[in-house]
Every structure is written in C-alpha cells, then in structure tokens.
Amino acid sequence: MSTATTHGGPQLPQERRLVTEIPGPRSRELFARKQSAVPPGIGTTLPVFVTHAGGGVIVDADGNSLIDFGSGIAVTNVGNAAPRVVERVQKQVADFTHTCFMVAPYESYVTVCEKLNALTPGDHEKRTFLVNSGAEAVENAVKVARHATGRQAVVVFDHGYHGRTLLTMTLTAKSMPYKHGFGPFAPEVYRVPLAYPFRWPTGPDNCAEEAAAQAIDMISKQIGAENVAAVLIEPIAGEGGFIEPARGFLPKIVEFCRANGIVFIADEVQTGFARTGHMFACEDEGIVPDIITTAKGIAGGLPLAAVTGRADLLDHVHSGGLGGTYGGNPLACEAALGVLETIEQDKLVERARHIGETMLPRLRAIQEHNPIVGDVRGRGAMIAVELVVPGTKEPYPAAEIARRCHEQGLLVLTAGTYGNVLRFLPPLVIPDHLLEEGLTILEKALNVDQNV
C-alpha cells in the first residue's frame, strides 16, 4: 500500500503487514545515511525508518506496518498523532511557537500546571513548573530538595535509571551504556538496595521487610539521615527491568523519610499518565510523594516534562532559580492538554488495566511451559518478562528474542540491569486483535529457545 498521501493517527489500517524483509531496502538506505551523519553513541533498537504511526502500528519507509509494543518508550500512551493532540498543536503553531514563559507568559503553561497539581497524588497545596525532559525534571527536583532542606545527600536505589546528564547518570545504577567512560560523577549520591522480589536472596516473601531494613540501615549509618536532602525512586524501575518493588517496601521508605525530614521524590517519568492502570504508579500503594517528576507520556511525543511538589518546597526557591528557555513550550503545553483530555474522555486508565488483564495471563501461560521465562511482572500496560537460563536465575540475553520479534513485524524493547528483560509498552489505544497477534509472535520467538 502506498503511504504517500496517508496521514498517521488512528485512521491508519490497524494491521501487521510485511511487504519486505525487516529492515527493507529503503530503511537500509536511510540507515546508511544515519551511520554517516550521526555518531554511533546514538543507538537504534529497530533500524526501520518511520513515515506514519497511529493506534497500535508504525509504518516504515518500505510500506511495512509493524505492531507497536514500545510507544516510543512509554511516550505515545494516547497513540501517535492522537486527534485531540494534533488539533491543539496545529492551532497553536499557527498562533505562535515561542515567547519563553519567563519572558512573556501564556495561559496554556498555567493550565497544564493547574491540571498536574490536581491530578498528582495528595490533596495538599502544590506547585508545578515545566521543563524539557525527564532528566531535566529529576535534576530540578533534586535542586529543589537541596535548597529547601539545606542538605546535600541524595539517596537512590539499585537498578534505578534517571537519565543521561551528569547528575542523572550519577543517580542511575547501570554502568554500561549510561555511565561507562563519562566520569567523574556528581558528588553526594548514595545507592541502597531495591526490593527486587525475583532476585531477593531469601525469597519474595521476605523482600519488602528485609530490603527496607537494609536501605534504612545504610542511610542511617553510612550517610546520616540528617544529611539526606532527598530519597529518589521509580515506583516501578523502568530501564532496570520493570521491577515492581515488593509491596510494603515503598510505604516503609516513605515513613522513614517523613520521620527524618527527607524529601521523597517519585520519578514517574516512565510510569506516569495512565501507563500502569493508575494515572500515576504511586497510587497503587497510596504513596503521596513530596515531589513527583513526569515526562514521556505527558505530551504525546512533544518534549515536555514537569516537576510537581509541595508548595512549601517549590516556593522556597528564589526567583530565577528555576526555569529554562524552552521549558513549557506552547506547542508542548497544548499537546499535553490534548493528552489529558484523551486519557479522561477515552478512559485510558481503565484501558491500561484491560491491557494488563489481557497480557499477563497469556505471558504466565507461556512461562508455565517455557523455562527461559523466569518471571512475568508488571501492571497495566507496563509489562515485562525476565529471561533466564533454564533451571537457574542466570540471565539469558533478551536481544536475540527481540530481533526475532522485529523480523516478524513486532516492535519490542529490551531492558534490565543484566540485559535479560523484554519490556512491553503498547499504546493504550492499541486494538485487542493487535495485542493478541503480538503476543502470538512473541510466544513463537520464545519457543525457539526452549532447549537452551
């Protein structure tokens, strides 16, 4: 099918369609240009060049239509080229594209902040400001916590990922590829254990209690609680492998923070905006962060991120201490308002739960007869399988399984500290038949390796 005059969005045919090998000749030609123009440090998961996307598919330069289980890493939660997003952005781009909110402000920025203050967990008075990326949001959250508390130490967790800037790669746990060769790193960052049920030495039943005790003991003895400005954690570890901390772990960490005047920061960059079957993942255990950072799914693909927190913390910072030239760009703000309208009106929180209820039983059925699937986990439309050498917990690389899926027209992502996790982040608007077809492709890709 020619896509020369076809627009993206939900009107695209919602079908897997392979007309060439993956990648096809046009994509290979473009990839050769990419290699000549772009440094190799910018990696590529699937070397097909996209021309259109929408619903649950992406269409490449060769006319192939692939099932999307990635959403641009949890960005296009409402689907690519979602109509309400497109309509708002088209109107705004014709009105004005930039003034810098710190120079000459505009209403859409304020409206986004008001909505985030209302939607994020907790009924306390809040403030929000807007920046460009998840890493920038995390850096600013740490700035606010340090300024408000007068303390310097920041505590993060094993398997955590928070970005690629100097501070955020310091906060990130995994060396390769995020930190290797890029030091020296930022000071006053300390790492403690995460409650990782599948790999906890004494088993998942003991995980929450023991991991919290270890973390609190390390903070108290090695840093001193009175020196800690913030504890920063992803409610579900993203790049680390979609690790759900054992239930009860997060409430214990929050309780410790409250008792010691430590700012609790929830990094919801990947987990936010209906992805997990709640608007924000913290809600699953009733966690109310002092500060919450959001990005990715906030604006349907336009660069936007936010820091939302207690008014007393954010009001502590002096005028000019926060901000940036592009933060809260008017196009991105309008896109965010379109995203929030779509989530509410199309009931995408409930849709995310339905996706989880579809995927998890099928993946657990695969696990029962396929010994390389060591663990199936996740919530809503944020699901993963951890691969192991059969009969052990030794990591089994996920890259080859992902490659087989890609060849059959299913885009999946890998993750995990050990590179052995397949993660699934389908758009929340993906139709059920594509979800089921994608799982069938995945099952076949996994079955090849039953006897490794």
Side-chain angles (χ1 to χ4, degrees), residues 101-102 105-122 124-131 273 280 292 294 298 304-311 314-315 322-323 326-330 332-338 340:
F101 185 77
M102 298 181 301
Y106 36 89
E107 185 177 2
S108 58
Y109 184 116
V110 177
T111 305
V112 171
C113 294
E114 289 171 339
K115 288 186 175 295
L116 290 175
N117 291 341
L119 287 168
T120 50
H124 53 281
E125 188 177 4
K126 301 172 196 164
R127 302 282 188 267
T128 292
F129 65 98
L130 305 178
V131 292
F273 300 100
F280 301 99
I292 182 169
T294 52
I298 192 173
L304 187 69
V307 179
T308 303
R310 285 174 20 212
L314 272 71
D315 287 351
L322 305 171
Y326 292 106
N329 172 271
C333 286
E334 289 294 342
L337 295 175
L340 293 175

Side-chain angles (χ1 to χ4, degrees), residues 316-346:
H316 194 276
V317 179
H318 52 275
S319 177
L322 305 171
T325 301
Y326 292 106
N329 172 271
L331 303 182
C333 286
E334 289 294 342
L337 295 175
V339 164
L340 293 175
E341 288 174 4
T342 301
I343 289 172
E344 179 182 3
Q345 294 181 26
D346 294 353

Side-chain angles (χ1 to χ4, degrees), residues 139-185:
E139 291 224 5
N140 275 277
V142 170
K143 281 171 54 177
V144 169
R146 284 174 164 166
H147 197 283
T149 62
R151 305 173 182 181
Q152 295 185 345
V154 179
V155 174
V156 288
F157 292 80
D158 285 340
H159 310 288
Y161 176 85
H162 301 287
R164 287 181 168 93
T165 61
L166 175 61
L167 177 58
T168 58
M169 73 175 172
T170 305
L171 298 168
T172 292
K174 189 175 180 179
S175 176
M176 180 60 81
Y178 307 116
K179 302 168 74 167
H180 179 72
F182 296 134
F185 301 112

